[in-house]
Amino acid sequence: MFFSFVDELRAAGIPASMKEHLVLLEALDRDVIDRTPEAFYYLARATFVKDEGLLDRFDQVFAKVFRGVSTTFGNTTAEIPEDWLKAVAEKYLTPEEMAAIQSLGSWDEIMETLKQRLEEQQGRHQGGNKWIGTGGTSPYGNSGYNPEGVRIGGESTHKRALKVWEGREFKNLDSTRELGTRNIKVAMRRLRRFAREGAADELDIDATIDGTARQGWLDIRMRPERHNAVKLLLFLDVGGSMDPWIKLCEELFSAATSEFKNLEFFYFHNCLYEGVWKDNRRRFTERTPTWDVLHKYGHDYKVIFVGDASMSPYEISHPGGSVEHFNEEAGAAWMQRVTNTYPAAVWLNPLPEEQWGYSQSVRILRELMSDRMYPLTLAGLDDAMRELSRKT
């Protein structure tokens, strides 16, 4: 099984040498980990993966080779009875009927009423206008319609939910994906500032010729490799409404990893909060505090947010507005901290620019970014790179 594991890793483009294979076997022989699938996963990943961009492919190979091995992988699920969440039938409403349905009230009223419903409700409901259930016009549940409410399970239909309660799975972006067009790379090359730093491991032909001619013997001169000295922080929105833009974001991610040597990336969902992560499969167990990011990376880093900025306005403006956890501080506070720390920051939005005016959340984030939001098109990317180059 282990030999097939190594073969599969190599076939997937992950460098896996016999030395690393022997290191893994030696670690298992010395019982350096608990005898659990989860512990073995971490050990194998630490042994074979040297590039964060290969995490997703490693996970796919691991799942293929060790299929059937029980693991938890840090997933969490909402503690709601499954039979409540099964949509037996959807209630179809006319536009006139939808317009007649009134919102329950403000954010505080909606959340307080949800708390009361959870305490009072004893069984499953479907097609009603009050209890947590499926179909109908209740502000709580799924597969129905309400101007503002909390979607519990199910799938988004009208994209009106202020908060979502469910176990969700996101996928890592693959940095090795080839670009559909090289124009994205060309646009990002505007953000370049070359320098020669580090070890002198590159032959300086001109200096070698000059030194040899002057000395009368072979005088080899070396110099540090020339590379792009720009430092970049990339924050990527994943999951939910970003799913239709996965291919475009992968192309951007691939271009960025090839163009910038000093690149750090983090994932977030909808809006930036107190924690970000690098592996979507473990976003609940391996988070990096946003404060640590702000303190670790200097003011000379340039920041790019990538996301459609489409969410409930409460996710930005209110504590507890996040659809995945209770955030103690509003997303707006964290966005302001980032823009105050890093003067060179832009937001790339894959949503067509003509649709921005219909979303209140897009308008709010655009204001928080001081109008430095650009469409994720070649023209928008070119404008964004000019803006980042202007602020040094």
Side-chain angles (χ1 to χ4, degrees), residues 193-211:
R193 187 174 67 248
F194 286 107
R196 294 189 183 276
E197 300 174 347
D201 53 8
E202 179 182 276
L203 177 63
D204 188 338
I205 295 178
D206 292 337
T208 297
I209 294 174
D210 182 71

Side-chain angles (χ1 to χ4, degrees), residues 103-215:
S103 173
L104 193 61
S106 66
W107 164 267
D108 293 333
E109 291 173 316
I110 290 174
M111 299 309 295
E112 182 61 31
T113 305
L114 173 59
K115 181 179 178 181
Q116 295 175 5
R117 296 282 193 275
L118 289 171
E119 293 174 349
E120 299 171 1
Q121 187 164 336
Q122 300 298 319
R124 181 187 181 279
H125 287 267
Q126 194 273 331
N129 61 4
K130 175 182 178 181
W131 298 108
I132 304 169
T134 57
T137 59
S138 169
Y140 310 112
N142 69 78
S143 304
Y145 174 81
N146 194 279
E148 292 183 317
V150 179
R151 176 165 65 84
I152 301 177
E155 297 181 356
S156 177
T157 303
H158 303 285
K159 301 187 183 301
R160 295 281 188 145
L162 300 179
K163 196 172 180 69
V164 179
W165 190 357
E166 64 176 351
R168 316 179 81 188
E169 291 297 326
F170 301 156
K171 185 178 182 297
N172 292 331
L173 298 183
D174 187 353
S175 65
T176 61
R177 183 184 179 91
E178 288 300 318
L179 291 175
T181 172
R182 65 184 299 272
N183 289 336
I184 297 180
K185 284 187 177 181
V186 174
M188 298 195 80
R189 285 173 186 170
R190 290 189 179 278
L191 193 60
R192 281 181 166 184
R193 187 174 67 248
F194 286 107
R196 294 189 183 276
E197 300 174 347
D201 53 8
E202 179 182 276
L203 177 63
D204 188 338
I205 295 178
D206 292 337
T208 297
I209 294 174
D210 182 71
T212 300
R214 291 177 182 275
Q215 302 294 338

Side-chain angles (χ1 to χ4, degrees), residues 23-131:
V23 168
L24 178 64
L25 294 181
E26 183 180 359
L28 292 174
D29 184 58
R30 296 190 180 185
D31 292 326
V32 299
I33 61 170
D34 295 332
R35 295 181 178 273
T36 64
E38 180 78 1
F40 175 69
Y41 166 85
Y42 282 112
L43 175 63
R45 191 181 76 172
T47 303
F48 290 108
V49 179
K50 306 299 189 298
D51 182 354
E52 291 170 333
L54 299 176
L55 284 175
D56 181 57
R57 281 193 287 172
F58 176 83
D59 287 344
Q60 294 179 41
V61 172
F62 190 90
K64 176 182 178 182
V65 175
F66 300 102
R67 182 174 298 162
V69 179
S70 175
T71 61
T72 60
F73 287 103
N75 290 335
T76 60
T77 55
E79 297 179 359
I80 300 178
E82 182 179 356
D83 59 335
W84 288 19
L85 308 180
K86 293 180 179 178
V88 177
E90 291 190 21
K91 185 173 183 179
Y92 294 95
L93 303 174
T94 66
E96 292 76 17
E97 291 173 326
M98 289 184 179
I101 300 173
Q102 298 295 318
S103 173
L104 193 61
S106 66
W107 164 267
D108 293 333
E109 291 173 316
I110 290 174
M111 299 309 295
E112 182 61 31
T113 305
L114 173 59
K115 181 179 178 181
Q116 295 175 5
R117 296 282 193 275
L118 289 171
E119 293 174 349
E120 299 171 1
Q121 187 164 336
Q122 300 298 319
R124 181 187 181 279
H125 287 267
Q126 194 273 331
N129 61 4
K130 175 182 178 181
W131 298 108

Side-chain angles (χ1 to χ4, degrees), residues 77-349:
T77 55
E79 297 179 359
I80 300 178
E82 182 179 356
D83 59 335
W84 288 19
L85 308 180
K86 293 180 179 178
V88 177
E90 291 190 21
K91 185 173 183 179
Y92 294 95
L93 303 174
T94 66
E96 292 76 17
E97 291 173 326
M98 289 184 179
I101 300 173
Q102 298 295 318
S103 173
L104 193 61
S106 66
W107 164 267
D108 293 333
E109 291 173 316
I110 290 174
M111 299 309 295
E112 182 61 31
T113 305
L114 173 59
K115 181 179 178 181
Q116 295 175 5
R117 296 282 193 275
L118 289 171
E119 293 174 349
E120 299 171 1
Q121 187 164 336
Q122 300 298 319
R124 181 187 181 279
H125 287 267
Q126 194 273 331
N129 61 4
K130 175 182 178 181
W131 298 108
I132 304 169
T134 57
T137 59
S138 169
Y140 310 112
N142 69 78
S143 304
Y145 174 81
N146 194 279
E148 292 183 317
V150 179
R151 176 165 65 84
I152 301 177
E155 297 181 356
S156 177
T157 303
H158 303 285
K159 301 187 183 301
R160 295 281 188 145
L162 300 179
K163 196 172 180 69
V164 179
W165 190 357
E166 64 176 351
R168 316 179 81 188
E169 291 297 326
F170 301 156
K171 185 178 182 297
N172 292 331
L173 298 183
D174 187 353
S175 65
T176 61
R177 183 184 179 91
E178 288 300 318
L179 291 175
T181 172
R182 65 184 299 272
N183 289 336
I184 297 180
K185 284 187 177 181
V186 174
M188 298 195 80
R189 285 173 186 170
R190 290 189 179 278
L191 193 60
R192 281 181 166 184
R193 187 174 67 248
F194 286 107
R196 294 189 183 276
E197 300 174 347
D201 53 8
E202 179 182 276
L203 177 63
D204 188 338
I205 295 178
D206 292 337
T208 297
I209 294 174
D210 182 71
T212 300
R214 291 177 182 275
Q215 302 294 338
W217 61 79
L218 181 60
D219 185 14
I220 297 178
R221 303 288 181 89
M222 304 296 289
R223 64 184 179 183
E225 181 183 359
R226 183 172 178 260
H227 63 270
N228 190 354
V230 169
K231 300 175 182 178
L232 183 65
L233 276 174
L234 187 62
F235 292 95
L236 299 153
D237 181 9
V238 291
S241 59
M242 282 297 292
D243 286 347
W245 314 109
I246 288 178
K247 182 177 183 296
L248 181 60
C249 289
E250 283 190 331
E251 292 176 352
L252 177 69
F253 186 47
S254 178
T257 53
S258 65
E259 287 297 320
F260 301 100
K261 181 178 181 180
N262 300 310
L263 169 69
E264 292 292 338
F265 73 92
F266 297 95
Y267 295 114
F268 68 99
H269 182 57
N270 283 355
C271 188
L272 188 70
Y273 297 111
E274 69 279 1
V276 290
W277 57 93
K278 281 183 169 290
D279 187 346
N280 283 309
R281 294 174 184 262
R282 288 164 179 78
R283 68 187 187 279
F284 296 114
T285 57
E286 295 182 3
R287 291 197 174 224
T288 301
T290 307
W291 272 124
D292 289 356
V293 176
L294 299 181
H295 291 151
K296 180 177 181 180
Y297 303 104
H299 303 299
D300 56 337
Y301 272 80
K302 299 180 186 296
V303 174
I304 298 179
F305 287 94
V306 182
D308 62 358
S310 300
M311 68 200 84
S312 163
Y314 296 115
E315 293 184 56
I316 308 171
S317 60
H318 280 59
S322 168
V323 297
E324 290 206 309
H325 74 295
F326 187 90
N327 52 299
E328 295 184 357
E329 292 185 277
W334 288 104
M335 291 300 301
Q336 289 171 344
R337 286 172 184 145
V338 171
T339 54
N340 289 338
T341 302
Y342 304 102
V346 298
W347 186 296
L348 297 176
N349 194 331

